[in-house]
Amino acid sequence: MSPLPLLLVLAALIPQVYSFVILPSKVLVSTRLDPVVQPGVTSSHLHNIVGGNRFNATYDSQFLLSSTCTTSPITVDRSNYWAPAMYFFNKTTTPPTFTRVSSGFNIYYLPRGNKGDIKVFPPGFKMVAGDNGRNTYNASLFDNQAISWVCLDYNNPAVNGKETPGFPTTNCP
């Protein structure tokens, strides 16, 4: 006898719950392009890009959605996400040096809001967050309170998964 009917009955008894998805995505490319903030021109700084393979110097949602592959583990997600590349500034060397920090992305889809109010992003949706010139943190300023980080270091319970305000002060694997 197949266990499928029993599993279906048990699944029906489980209350409906919200869930979230964390998508660890590999970097597709690092480039000085930003099709939202500086469309069609070389960006003032380097970005790491994840997602669909049709990332371009200008933003066209239909072109982007026609990507043939993605770095996302959810293969139907042809979106692109990008963030400035991070560098470690070593003041102890002469002259001081900058070393690019390797990076990856965790894209979070969180269950926020009321169940019936969650909507799909509209076609052509663009979102900008952050300030590429910021290099300080002041907890008393409202816009600085949005800056936080989480270290996913499963071998270190003291820091693993804890949201911390400001800039990172410890190494994360």
Side-chain angles (χ1 to χ4, degrees):
M1 178 174 162
S2 167
L4 185 59
L6 178 59
L7 290 174
L8 291 174
V9 169
L10 291 174
L13 297 174
I14 298 172
Q16 191 170 11
V17 296
Y18 282 115
S19 61
F20 67 93
V21 179
I22 302 174
L23 304 175
S25 296
K26 294 179 180 174
V27 173
L28 173 71
V29 67
S30 295
T31 184
R32 287 183 54 196
L33 295 177
D34 187 331
V36 172
V37 176
Q38 295 174 298
V41 299
T42 301
S43 174
S44 61
H45 55 280
L46 186 67
H47 291 97
N48 293 317
I49 292 91
V50 299
N53 66 327
R54 292 207 129 178
F55 182 81
N56 199 321
T58 55
Y59 182 87
D60 177 324
S61 59
Q62 290 306 309
F63 180 76
L64 181 60
L65 291 173
S66 69
S67 291
T68 57
C69 62
T70 180
T71 61
S72 172
I74 307 295
T75 58
V76 295
D77 182 359
R78 303 300 165 89
S79 304
N80 280 116
Y81 307 86
W82 59 97
M86 301 291 286
Y87 290 85
F88 172 72
F89 178 52
N90 188 349
K91 298 178 202 175
T92 64
T93 61
T94 306
T97 58
F98 290 89
T99 305
R100 192 162 148 207
V101 177
S102 67
S103 65
F105 285 67
N106 283 329
I107 311 298
Y108 291 76
Y109 292 93
L110 301 172
R112 294 188 175 154
N114 297 320
K115 185 176 173 184
D117 295 337
I118 298 173
K119 308 265 187 288
V120 172
F121 293 130
F125 177 78
K126 302 174 193 176
M127 180 189 310
V128 176
D131 174 354
N132 68 356
R134 183 181 306 275
N135 59 10
T136 61
Y137 177 78
N138 182 340
S140 66
L141 297 176
F142 180 72
D143 66 332
N144 281 215
Q145 293 171 19
I147 301 171
S148 66
W149 62 282
V150 174
C151 182
L152 299 177
D153 184 351
Y154 301 109
N155 296 316
N156 185 351
V159 299
N160 183 46
K162 294 187 173 121
E163 186 170 1
T164 306
F167 290 105
T169 56
T170 128
N171 252 344
C172 288

